Amino acid sequence: MAPAQPQTFTAGADPLTKFDGAISMANVPRAPDRQFAFHGFMRPWLGIYAKLIAGGKKPPTHFHVHQTEFFRVLKGNLSVDINGHRVDLTPKDGEYTVPPFTHHVIYGTPGTEQNEVEFEVSAEEKRDGEYAMDQPFFENWYGYQEDVFQRGVKLDFIQVLAMFDAGDTYLSPPAWVPFRTFLSIWLTIIIGRYIGGLLGYAPFYPEWTTDWDAACDQMERHWTQKRFAKRDAQEKARRRFGLTSANGAHANGKKKAL
């Protein structure tokens, strides 16, 4: 067990493409009441989705507490499991709403896995002081998954919960578990935020986070995570990867050639 050690530097990537092209998401203009808005492509026959399909599995079912999530299929077929019941979406269905506390997961509709899915996803704006599903959450969760499934990094449950806690996202226990929603929330907070923070598990990493200052602002709000909020960490990460710094200089101090 160990905190994440990012194998790639993808902060600032837009679109963000992961798993050999299996998923790609780009920022698009968002409505005033939305926290984020992404225009995405899912290619179920590639990367992590192909592995899940081959094993008869799906991405993890989860729920959110503070935010309503919205999906709109622009091309292809997308399925959403809602509290254990499958809903198939196509462009004619318009925007589909997933309210808070709804156990859900999205995936390519079975039987159409060779079709590219074009979609939009967004979520309502967070209220002050609340953790929220936002761009830093997606960047770090996808970055960590890619390291696990494609680079041999061992999956660490505490790291997963640290990221999910910061992104208003909670894993769904099986339906037969009593008080499963309540238990998931408190286990995620206690293990992800408190125990994880004390053991060195950050919810965000500078190598993956575009708005590092915003991530630092959030981590500074909790005493177990304040030590991860190092404002200069991203520039140091750039130098480790030999990348151009934010001001246009290379790690060796030379300016990038135009």
Side-chain angles (χ1 to χ4, degrees):
M1 295 174 59
Q5 296 182 356
Q7 306 296 300
T8 58
F9 190 104
T10 55
D14 190 18
L16 182 67
T17 301
K18 292 292 185 180
F19 314 118
D20 294 331
I23 187 76
S24 180
M25 296 200 300
N27 279 288
V28 294
R30 59 184 176 87
D33 62 342
R34 301 290 169 96
Q35 181 68 29
F36 65 87
F38 296 138
H39 176 246
F41 291 90
M42 179 188 295
R43 303 173 181 95
W45 68 92
L46 296 175
I48 186 174
Y49 295 118
K51 294 180 181 179
L52 289 172
I53 291 170
K57 300 179 181 178
K58 303 173 185 175
T61 302
H62 59 280
F63 63 96
H64 312 290
V65 171
H66 301 294
Q67 292 170 287
T68 296
E69 192 171 11
F70 307 93
F71 297 98
R72 183 188 299 272
V73 176
L74 303 177
K75 183 182 73 174
N77 306 80
L78 191 67
S79 290
V80 187
D81 282 357
I82 299 293
N83 294 324
H85 301 283
R86 191 177 105 188
V87 177
D88 296 333
L89 302 176
T90 66
K92 68 179 181 181
D93 294 306
E95 187 172 75
Y96 188 80
T97 301
V98 180
F101 297 102
T102 302
H103 299 271
H104 65 283
V105 59
I106 67 167
Y107 52 96
T109 300
T112 69
E113 290 89 349
Q114 297 303 312
N115 297 337
E116 181 178 75
V117 183
E118 183 179 2
F119 65 96
E120 292 178 347
V121 57
S122 61
E124 67 177 316
E125 191 170 25
K126 68 177 179 180
R127 292 177 283 273
D128 289 343
E130 292 178 347
Y131 287 6
M133 175 176 49
D134 53 15
Q135 181 172 336
F137 165 71
F138 281 103
E139 290 175 326
N140 283 267
W141 174 231
Y142 282 141
Y144 184 58
Q145 283 189 93
E146 190 173 58
D147 279 357
V148 168
F149 288 101
Q150 296 192 193
R151 299 186 177 91
V153 172
K154 187 175 181 180
L155 182 69
D156 191 300
F157 190 60
I158 299 177
Q159 182 63 77
V160 172
L161 295 187
M163 290 178 171
F164 274 34
D165 168 57
D168 187 38
T169 301
Y170 304 87
L171 291 170
S172 300
W176 53 263
V177 175
F179 310 108
R180 65 170 178 158
T181 300
F182 173 83
L183 287 174
S184 179
I185 293 171
W186 283 105
L187 282 174
T188 301
I189 293 173
I190 292 169
I191 297 175
R193 191 182 311 175
Y194 286 90
I195 296 176
L198 292 172
L199 293 178
Y201 292 83
F204 308 113
Y205 291 85
E207 294 87 348
W208 294 326
T209 310
T210 297
D211 193 345
W212 181 239
D213 281 338
C216 288
D217 290 343
Q218 178 167 327
M219 292 187 289
E220 285 174 346
R221 291 205 297 266
H222 199 275
W223 64 272
T224 64
Q225 297 175 345
K226 282 184 177 181
R227 60 186 170 130
F228 308 130
K230 298 177 181 178
R231 304 282 172 165
D232 62 345
Q234 195 160 72
E235 282 303 311
K236 291 181 178 179
R238 289 179 187 275
R239 290 197 292 269
R240 286 199 306 274
F241 281 86
L243 300 174
T244 303
S245 68
N247 63 10
H250 281 302
N252 61 9
K254 295 180 180 179
K255 289 287 184 179
K256 182 179 179 181
L258 299 178

